[in-house]
Amino acid sequence: MNAYDGIRIASMLRGMGFAETPDVSDADIIILNTCAVREKASNKVFSELGRIRDIKKPDALFGIVGCVARESGADAFRRIPSLNFVLGPQSYHKLPEIIENPDAKLLNVDLSGLEKFDELPDMTDGPAAAYIPIQEGCDHCCTYCIVPYTRGRELSRPFDDVMRDVNAAAANGAIEICFLGQNVNGYKFSLANLIRETAKIESVRRIRFTSSYPTEMTDDLISLFGTEPKLLPFLNLPIQSGSPDVLTRMNRPYSLELYIDIVNKLKAVRPDIQISSDFIVGFPGETDSEFRDTMDIIRLVGYINSYSFKYSPRPHTAAALMKEQIPENIKKARLKTLDAALSEINREFNESCVGKTFECLIEGQDKTGKHLIARSPYMQQVVIPKPESDSGPMISVLITDANKCSLRGKIVRNPI
Ligand code: 5AD
Ligand code: SF4
């Protein structure tokens, strides 16, 4: 969601005549887009702001947007007085106000819900893979998570507004549509119907969505994986922990049986589907045996391309007040053990792809300019020798080589 916000801000500024520069000291406007989900990223924000303050042009507009802006509010001005604006994740559409009135200080960390979607100018520059947010905020209230505080209550965008954005993205050249939301499958007006409508657009070749909540996986949505070939065979379905007791303390009220039942149903309708997850290790009170439950579940499900984090206490969350916080060295060791196992499963899966042909979406090229970088249907990075002629946005790639992080391949034919 943060990446999406960054794309919208950049697009809005381009529309106002700004151009990107790689050199901060050359910029007329500098915006730090921030995430507050984990403490480390959040802490880095103020040291980074200090660094920028010291090298920026004296009259450059300088501000902070996103969840750390919402979390710190006016305090950000106290800590870095040269900031011109502090805008929360639902108020960055107000940026033009400070550009028109650069001598003012602009503070807006309101949870204004869906307002920004109505106010932001349409995107005129389109990537081949477009993110379309369909909701803001989250009502789940996991005890570790700051998102309900920084982004507020869950709100679903009207179906027609979303489809208008999908059609605009397709008209701008999007081949892949990724629906976004903190609780994307809880979308009130049916994510399954959004996918069906989107699949009717001929130029859209791939559809995916992230991030899903286990209990919101309806049978309608599950069966769509079997009937809609444009829906990629890859799903991020965060389990967070393999221990029922930890899940209870996290306030994630689903059983492992229910979770595994969903995975089995998905595999029944789409045998080639792969699942990814987010994991938190070292949640308050996590015992060795509870951690082993997580290790067991990753082997059982065989997750690929997952994200793993050490638990990080966040302000405004219940878990930060729980006794039995786990010492840093134990969290670190558990993360290392988990990551080693996840890497191993990734490597096995990547190696099993050798000899297969995937339709891949080109993302760009490597630094040498000699290779294309593409994404497989499982979001693996695929490196391909660059062909002499332009290959178009989608290519068929025979996978020739694999390691734990990426695949190598060669173009076998050009499907578009
Ligand atoms: N500590 C560690 N990881 C967290 N996440 C959310 N809050 C925390 C926290 N306090 C992780 C979860 C979530 C992902 C986006 O970030 O795994 O799915
Ligand atoms: Fe945070 Fe996700 Fe839980 Fe919502 S479902 S509170 S965004 S971890």
Side-chain angles (χ1 to χ4, degrees), residues 233-271:
F234 179 63
L235 176 69
N236 175 249
L237 190 63
I239 192 167
Q240 308 293 357
S241 167
S243 153
D245 290 341
V246 172
L247 288 174
T248 303
R249 299 203 292 281
M250 287 178 165
N251 190 28
R252 293 183 62 96
Y254 46 83
S255 65
L256 296 183
E257 289 73 22
L258 178 116
Y259 186 95
I260 289 164
D261 191 44
I262 295 167
V263 172
N264 287 339
K265 280 183 185 165
L266 285 162
K267 286 186 174 162
V269 296
R270 189 80 176 251

Coordinates of all heavy atoms in Angstrom, one line a residue, residues 233-271:
P233 N -1.7 -18.2 -10.3 CA -1.8 -19.4 -9.3 C -0.9 -19.1 -8.1 O -0.1 -20.0 -7.7 CB -1.2 -20.5 -10.2 CG -0.3 -19.9 -11.1 CD -0.9 -18.5 -11.4
F234 N -1.1 -18.0 -7.5 CA -0.2 -17.6 -6.4 C -1.0 -16.7 -5.5 O -1.6 -15.7 -5.9 CB 1.0 -16.8 -7.0 CG 2.0 -16.3 -6.0 CD1 2.7 -17.2 -5.2 CD2 2.2 -14.9 -5.8 CE1 3.6 -16.7 -4.2 CE2 3.1 -14.5 -4.8 CZ 3.8 -15.4 -4.0
L235 N -0.9 -17.0 -4.2 CA -1.7 -16.3 -3.2 C -1.0 -16.0 -1.9 O -0.4 -16.9 -1.3 CB -3.0 -17.1 -2.9 CG -3.9 -16.5 -1.8 CD1 -4.6 -15.2 -2.3 CD2 -4.9 -17.5 -1.4
N236 N -0.9 -14.7 -1.5 CA -0.4 -14.4 -0.2 C -1.5 -14.5 0.8 O -2.5 -13.7 0.8 CB 0.2 -12.9 -0.3 CG 0.7 -12.5 1.1 OD1 0.1 -11.6 1.7 ND2 1.8 -13.0 1.5
L237 N -1.3 -15.5 1.7 CA -2.4 -15.7 2.7 C -1.7 -15.8 4.1 O -1.3 -16.9 4.5 CB -3.1 -17.1 2.4 CG -4.3 -17.4 3.2 CD1 -5.4 -16.3 2.9 CD2 -4.9 -18.8 2.8
P238 N -1.4 -14.7 4.7 CA -0.6 -14.7 5.9 C -1.2 -15.5 7.0 O -2.4 -15.3 7.4 CB -0.5 -13.2 6.3 CG -0.8 -12.4 5.0 CD -1.7 -13.3 4.3
I239 N -0.4 -16.4 7.6 CA -0.8 -17.2 8.7 C -0.2 -16.6 10.0 O -0.8 -16.7 11.1 CB -0.4 -18.7 8.6 CG1 -1.2 -19.5 9.6 CG2 1.1 -18.9 8.6 CD1 -1.1 -21.0 9.4
Q240 N 0.9 -15.9 9.9 CA 1.7 -15.2 11.0 C 2.3 -16.2 12.0 O 3.5 -16.0 12.3 CB 0.8 -14.2 11.8 CG 0.0 -13.2 10.9 CD 0.9 -12.2 10.2 OE1 2.1 -12.2 10.3 NE2 0.3 -11.4 9.3
S241 N 1.6 -17.2 12.4 CA 2.2 -18.2 13.4 C 1.5 -19.5 13.2 O 0.4 -19.6 12.8 CB 2.0 -17.7 14.8 OG 2.3 -18.8 15.7
G242 N 2.3 -20.6 13.4 CA 1.7 -21.9 13.3 C 1.2 -22.4 14.7 O 0.8 -23.6 14.8
S243 N 1.2 -21.6 15.7 CA 0.8 -22.0 17.0 C -0.6 -21.4 17.3 O -0.8 -20.2 17.3 CB 1.7 -21.5 18.1 OG 1.1 -21.3 19.3
P244 N -1.6 -22.3 17.6 CA -3.0 -21.8 17.9 C -3.0 -20.9 19.1 O -3.7 -19.9 19.1 CB -3.7 -23.1 18.3 CG -2.9 -24.3 17.8 CD -1.5 -23.8 17.7
D245 N -2.1 -21.1 20.1 CA -2.1 -20.2 21.3 C -1.6 -18.8 20.9 O -2.1 -17.8 21.4 CB -1.3 -20.8 22.4 CG -2.1 -22.0 23.0 OD1 -3.3 -22.1 22.8 OD2 -1.5 -22.8 23.7
V246 N -0.5 -18.8 20.1 CA 0.0 -17.5 19.7 C -1.0 -16.8 18.8 O -1.2 -15.6 19.0 CB 1.4 -17.7 18.9 CG1 1.8 -16.3 18.3 CG2 2.4 -18.2 19.8
L247 N -1.7 -17.5 17.9 CA -2.7 -16.9 17.1 C -3.8 -16.3 18.0 O -4.3 -15.2 17.7 CB -3.4 -17.9 16.1 CG -2.4 -18.3 15.0 CD1 -3.1 -19.4 14.1 CD2 -2.1 -17.1 14.1
T248 N -4.2 -16.9 19.1 CA -5.2 -16.4 20.0 C -4.6 -15.1 20.6 O -5.3 -14.1 20.7 CB -5.5 -17.4 21.1 OG1 -6.0 -18.6 20.5 CG2 -6.6 -16.9 22.1
R249 N -3.4 -15.1 21.1 CA -2.8 -13.9 21.7 C -2.7 -12.8 20.7 O -2.7 -11.6 21.0 CB -1.5 -14.2 22.3 CG -1.5 -15.2 23.4 CD -0.4 -15.1 24.4 NE 0.9 -15.4 23.9 CZ 1.4 -16.7 23.7 NH1 0.7 -17.7 24.0 NH2 2.6 -16.9 23.2
M250 N -2.5 -13.2 19.4 CA -2.4 -12.2 18.3 C -3.8 -11.6 17.9 O -3.9 -10.7 17.1 CB -1.8 -12.8 17.1 CG -0.3 -13.0 17.1 SD 0.2 -13.8 15.6 CE 2.0 -13.6 15.7
N251 N -4.8 -12.2 18.5 CA -6.2 -11.9 18.1 C -6.5 -12.2 16.7 O -7.0 -11.4 15.9 CB -6.6 -10.4 18.5 CG -8.1 -10.2 18.3 OD1 -8.9 -11.1 18.5 ND2 -8.5 -9.0 18.0
R252 N -6.0 -13.3 16.2 CA -6.3 -13.8 14.9 C -7.1 -15.1 15.1 O -6.5 -16.2 15.1 CB -5.0 -14.0 14.1 CG -4.3 -12.7 13.8 CD -3.1 -12.8 13.0 NE -3.3 -13.3 11.6 CZ -3.4 -12.6 10.5 NH1 -3.4 -11.3 10.6 NH2 -3.5 -13.2 9.4
P253 N -8.4 -15.0 15.1 CA -9.2 -16.1 15.6 C -9.6 -17.1 14.4 O -10.7 -17.2 14.0 CB -10.5 -15.4 16.1 CG -10.6 -14.1 15.3 CD -9.2 -13.7 14.9
Y254 N -8.6 -17.8 13.9 CA -8.8 -18.9 13.0 C -8.0 -20.1 13.5 O -7.0 -20.0 14.1 CB -8.5 -18.6 11.6 CG -7.1 -17.9 11.4 CD1 -6.0 -18.7 11.3 CD2 -7.1 -16.5 11.3 CE1 -4.7 -18.0 11.1 CE2 -5.8 -15.9 11.1 CZ -4.7 -16.7 11.0 OH -3.5 -16.1 10.9
S255 N -8.6 -21.3 13.2 CA -7.8 -22.5 13.6 C -6.9 -22.9 12.5 O -7.1 -22.6 11.3 CB -8.8 -23.6 13.9 OG -9.5 -24.0 12.7
L256 N -5.9 -23.7 12.9 CA -5.0 -24.2 11.8 C -5.8 -25.1 10.9 O -5.5 -25.2 9.7 CB -3.9 -25.0 12.5 CG -2.9 -24.2 13.4 CD1 -1.8 -25.1 13.9 CD2 -2.4 -23.0 12.6
E257 N -6.8 -25.8 11.4 CA -7.6 -26.7 10.6 C -8.3 -25.9 9.5 O -8.3 -26.3 8.3 CB -8.7 -27.5 11.4 CG -8.1 -28.5 12.3 CD -7.4 -28.0 13.5 OE1 -7.6 -26.8 13.9 OE2 -6.5 -28.7 14.1
L258 N -8.9 -24.8 9.9 CA -9.6 -23.9 8.9 C -8.6 -23.5 7.8 O -8.8 -23.5 6.6 CB -10.2 -22.7 9.6 CG -10.9 -21.8 8.6 CD1 -12.4 -21.8 8.8 CD2 -10.3 -20.4 8.6
Y259 N -7.4 -23.0 8.3 CA -6.4 -22.5 7.4 C -6.0 -23.6 6.4 O -6.0 -23.4 5.1 CB -5.2 -22.0 8.1 CG -4.2 -21.3 7.3 CD1 -4.2 -19.9 7.1 CD2 -3.2 -22.0 6.6 CE1 -3.3 -19.3 6.3 CE2 -2.3 -21.4 5.7 CZ -2.3 -20.0 5.6 OH -1.4 -19.4 4.7
I260 N -5.7 -24.8 6.9 CA -5.2 -25.8 6.0 C -6.4 -26.3 5.1 O -6.1 -26.6 3.9 CB -4.7 -27.0 6.9 CG1 -3.3 -26.5 7.4 CG2 -4.4 -28.3 6.1 CD1 -2.8 -27.3 8.6
D261 N -7.6 -26.3 5.6 CA -8.7 -26.6 4.7 C -8.8 -25.6 3.5 O -9.0 -26.1 2.4 CB -10.0 -26.5 5.6 CG -11.2 -27.1 4.9 OD1 -11.0 -28.1 4.3 OD2 -12.2 -26.4 4.9
I262 N -8.5 -24.3 3.8 CA -8.6 -23.4 2.7 C -7.5 -23.7 1.7 O -7.7 -23.7 0.4 CB -8.4 -21.9 3.2 CG1 -9.5 -21.5 4.1 CG2 -8.2 -20.9 2.0 CD1 -9.3 -20.3 4.9
V263 N -6.3 -24.0 2.2 CA -5.2 -24.3 1.3 C -5.5 -25.6 0.4 O -5.3 -25.6 -0.8 CB -3.8 -24.5 2.1 CG1 -2.7 -25.1 1.2 CG2 -3.4 -23.2 2.7
N264 N -6.1 -26.6 1.1 CA -6.4 -27.8 0.4 C -7.5 -27.5 -0.7 O -7.4 -28.1 -1.8 CB -6.9 -28.9 1.3 CG -5.7 -29.4 2.1 OD1 -4.6 -29.3 1.7 ND2 -6.0 -30.0 3.3
K265 N -8.5 -26.7 -0.4 CA -9.5 -26.4 -1.3 C -8.9 -25.7 -2.5 O -9.3 -25.9 -3.7 CB -10.6 -25.5 -0.7 CG -11.6 -26.2 0.2 CD -12.6 -25.1 0.6 CE -13.6 -25.6 1.6 NZ -14.3 -24.5 2.3
L266 N -8.0 -24.7 -2.2 CA -7.3 -24.0 -3.3 C -6.5 -25.0 -4.2 O -6.6 -24.9 -5.5 CB -6.4 -22.9 -2.8 CG -7.0 -21.7 -2.2 CD1 -6.1 -20.9 -1.3 CD2 -7.5 -20.8 -3.3
K267 N -5.8 -25.9 -3.6 CA -5.0 -26.9 -4.4 C -5.9 -27.8 -5.2 O -5.6 -28.3 -6.3 CB -4.1 -27.7 -3.5 CG -2.9 -26.8 -3.0 CD -1.9 -27.6 -2.2 CE -0.7 -26.7 -1.9 NZ 0.1 -27.2 -0.8
A268 N -7.1 -28.1 -4.6 CA -8.1 -29.0 -5.4 C -8.5 -28.3 -6.7 O -8.7 -29.0 -7.7 CB -9.2 -29.3 -4.5
V269 N -8.8 -27.0 -6.6 CA -9.3 -26.3 -7.8 C -8.2 -25.9 -8.7 O -8.4 -25.7 -9.9 CB -10.3 -25.1 -7.5 CG1 -11.5 -25.6 -6.8 CG2 -9.6 -24.0 -6.7
R270 N -7.0 -25.7 -8.1 CA -5.9 -25.1 -8.9 C -4.6 -25.9 -8.5 O -3.8 -25.4 -7.6 CB -5.7 -23.6 -8.7 CG -4.8 -22.9 -9.6 CD -5.4 -22.6 -11.0 NE -4.5 -21.9 -11.8 CZ -4.6 -20.6 -12.1 NH1 -5.7 -19.9 -11.7 NH2 -3.7 -20.0 -12.9
P271 N -4.4 -27.1 -9.0 CA -3.3 -27.9 -8.4 C -1.9 -27.2 -8.5 O -1.0 -27.6 -7.7 CB -3.3 -29.2 -9.3 CG -4.7 -29.2 -9.9 CD -5.1 -27.8 -10.0

